[in-house]
Amino acid sequence: MKKNYFDEMFENSEKPHNHYKTLWSNMSSLDDESIKRRHMLAEQDFMRQGITFTVYDNEEGTERTMPFDPLPRIISQKEWQVIEKGLQQRIKALNCFLEDIYTDQNILKDKIVPRELIVTSPHFYHQVYGVKVPKKNHIFIAGIDLIRDEKGNYLVLEDNIRNPSGLSYVFQNRYIMRKLFPELFKEYELQSLDNCLYEMLEALKYIAPKNIEKPTIVLLTPGMYNSAYYDHSFLARQMGIELVESRDLVVQERVVYMKTTRGLQQVDVIYRRIDDDYLDPLEFKEDSLIGVPGLLDAYRAGNVSIANAIGNGVADDKATYAYVPDMIRYYLNEEPILSNVKTYILSKKEDYEYALNHLDELVIKERNSSGGYNMLIGPHATEEQKSIFRAKIINNPENFIAQPTISLSTLPTHTAEGIQSRHVDLRAFVLLNEKPHIIPGGLTRVALKKGSLVVNSSQGGGSKDTWVLGNSTDSKEAE
């Protein structure tokens, strides 16, 4: 039977793709018990380091170690060059869009993007309309989710430009892989992650207000009970910046200060890991206990930079996503290098009717949900689930988009039943300084449940180390 998905490792049942030959040869020499033992060592190491995440709807206990699969994903240099150029192009266009939407709104006037799409987005904030963002840089970091179709073409599935999480796991996965399989790193030349956190710090310095040479930078976290707290603490520690909560900051005369043992210290840049709605109780949710009163006023005055910028959610709305190829043509006068997944906007009559008639075939998503929640995968859904979503769509079609069900590409994965194929995607991380910088590889997320297409950790997914090959390995593997 012909597979309806792309196999990342194998051209056919016996022959691996060129860049996987060395890995497959090494892995084939290991028995299941050896791989299982190394997998257990990885779990123990993650537990010791506190590499965990929180599942809020799990009644049995919320704290879990991040599931890690010891069989890496490998991307050839040729493939990566296409991804890199496509992501650089995409992030430039999205940044232009955000600057435009919060100033002149030319793209709306020229009817490239429907005005009603923007004004109905809950993440379009009038409070920051007209605010001058330093260097016009709205996106300090983005997490762009990529998948591969059945022919192996890379497609953009989603843009995450509010508070993308998971970057710390990119570094920790590489660290643990070097401990578990040191012999493999003698066989492959990989593009290095060594300078990426330096690049991240430089990107934060770049957006400091008023061109301050040595800005004080902090990472603002909701606290230790947040699902991504490990991510927050790791990044702050590695960049050498302070990890703060709202109680550590105060605003006086439109300036943000950090409380220290030596008194107040002015803060210039805030890498926030708090959603817009909770950032400032004077401007957004008044009952927020994790925000900083007066922060938005200091931001408007140009006395502090906030990364990512407030209001970015209007650009990673799942309905706005459908127009990113048009943004690339409009702002950059270029054709998109990376394609979108075909997307139906259910506020359009023809798309609405098509979706209701093809629920069995489609993936239905709420425009502003994340983490794999609030969506319907038609081919895997029960009649009851389809009935519920049908009623939701009829009641509020503007809140939904639909996409064809694409069987994500697969990779061999360690499971309780041995090595088996599981579906994967790739979260690529983009830093925007004077020009975009793509972190080599990113985070490969794997659906550990058999047959599942949902890779999110909160839904039973895990992650793999992602290797991007350098020149010498690419040449050797092609021989």
Side-chain angles (χ1 to χ4, degrees), residues 392-439:
K392 286 181 178 181
I393 293 169
I394 291 171
N395 185 54
N396 187 11
E398 292 81 6
N399 194 40
F400 295 91
I401 61 103
Q403 295 172 329
T405 304
I406 297 177
S407 287
L408 311 181
S409 58
T410 63
L411 271 170
T413 301
H414 174 72
T415 73
E417 295 79 33
I419 305 300
Q420 297 186 356
S421 286
R422 293 291 186 267
H423 295 288
V424 297
D425 79 350
L426 175 66
R427 172 162 291 184
F429 290 95
V430 187
L431 302 172
L432 187 55
N433 199 321
E434 289 185 71
K435 59 183 181 180
H437 174 82
I438 317 299
I439 292 176

Side-chain angles (χ1 to χ4, degrees), residues 144-415:
I144 309 297
D145 293 343
L146 303 171
I147 61 173
R148 300 183 82 169
D149 65 18
E150 65 278 2
K151 295 180 181 178
N153 299 312
Y154 284 94
L155 305 174
V156 176
L157 181 65
E158 198 167 284
D159 303 296
N160 297 282
I161 53 177
R162 281 176 274 174
N163 282 309
S165 62
L167 182 56
S168 61
Y169 305 128
V170 173
F171 298 98
Q172 289 297 355
N173 287 352
R174 180 63 50 84
Y175 167 76
I176 197 67
M177 277 297 292
R178 285 190 179 277
K179 288 179 69 173
L180 297 180
F181 297 99
E183 66 275 16
L184 282 175
F185 289 87
K186 297 174 184 176
E187 301 283 351
Y188 283 98
E189 179 195 335
L190 307 183
Q191 293 192 26
S192 175
L193 298 175
D194 290 349
N195 291 326
C196 294
L197 289 164
Y198 168 79
E199 294 283 353
M200 191 174 190
L201 182 60
E202 289 300 300
L204 285 168
K205 290 179 180 177
Y206 176 70
I207 60 171
K210 303 169 185 175
N211 296 311
I212 298 170
E213 284 190 19
K214 294 182 179 180
T216 297
I217 304 169
V218 301
L219 191 155
L220 177 60
T221 175
M224 64 182 295
Y225 297 109
N226 182 265
S227 62
Y229 183 72
Y230 175 79
D231 207 40
H232 308 166
S233 58
F234 175 89
L235 294 175
R237 184 170 64 251
Q238 295 297 320
M239 287 190 287
I241 63 178
E242 293 293 334
L243 181 68
V244 300
E245 297 180 34
S246 59
R247 62 191 176 191
D248 301 313
L249 301 178
V250 63
V251 178
Q252 294 181 0
E253 297 182 356
R254 308 184 85 184
V255 175
V256 181
Y257 295 94
M258 173 173 54
K259 301 169 188 174
T260 75
T261 54
R262 290 174 288 185
L264 298 179
Q265 179 180 354
Q266 184 170 343
V267 173
D268 305 302
V269 180
I270 298 175
Y271 173 23
R272 53 69 174 261
R273 295 299 296 267
I274 294 174
D275 290 343
D276 290 342
D277 283 339
Y278 299 92
L279 264 180
D280 185 343
L282 300 182
E283 299 277 354
F284 302 117
K285 287 185 179 290
E286 61 183 25
D287 58 348
S288 172
L289 300 178
I290 56 174
V292 181
L295 177 59
L296 190 55
D297 199 33
Y299 180 60
R300 285 197 195 100
N303 294 325
V304 67
S305 295
I306 296 176
N308 281 339
I310 296 172
N312 275 14
V314 70
D316 67 16
D317 183 309
K318 289 177 174 61
T320 307
Y321 154 92
Y323 293 91
V324 176
D326 294 324
M327 295 177 199
I328 292 169
R329 297 182 186 100
Y330 182 77
Y331 293 116
L332 307 182
N333 196 27
E334 298 171 0
E335 282 301 308
I337 296 169
L338 295 171
S339 298
N340 275 16
V341 174
K342 168 70 178 173
T343 302
Y344 300 93
I345 308 296
L346 302 197
S347 57
K348 295 180 179 178
K349 186 174 183 294
E350 62 273 25
D351 287 3
Y352 166 80
E353 291 176 350
Y354 180 85
L356 288 182
N357 290 325
H358 295 82
L359 283 183
D360 289 343
E361 307 165 20
L362 299 172
V363 176
I364 310 294
K365 300 178 181 178
E366 284 193 9
R367 282 175 56 181
N368 294 288
S369 289
S370 59
Y373 294 107
N374 300 316
M375 72 178 190
L376 177 85
I377 302 179
H380 298 173
T382 65
E383 290 302 320
E384 181 183 6
Q385 289 169 333
K386 284 182 278 191
S387 177
I388 290 170
F389 261 81
R390 180 181 296 276
K392 286 181 178 181
I393 293 169
I394 291 171
N395 185 54
N396 187 11
E398 292 81 6
N399 194 40
F400 295 91
I401 61 103
Q403 295 172 329
T405 304
I406 297 177
S407 287
L408 311 181
S409 58
T410 63
L411 271 170
T413 301
H414 174 72
T415 73

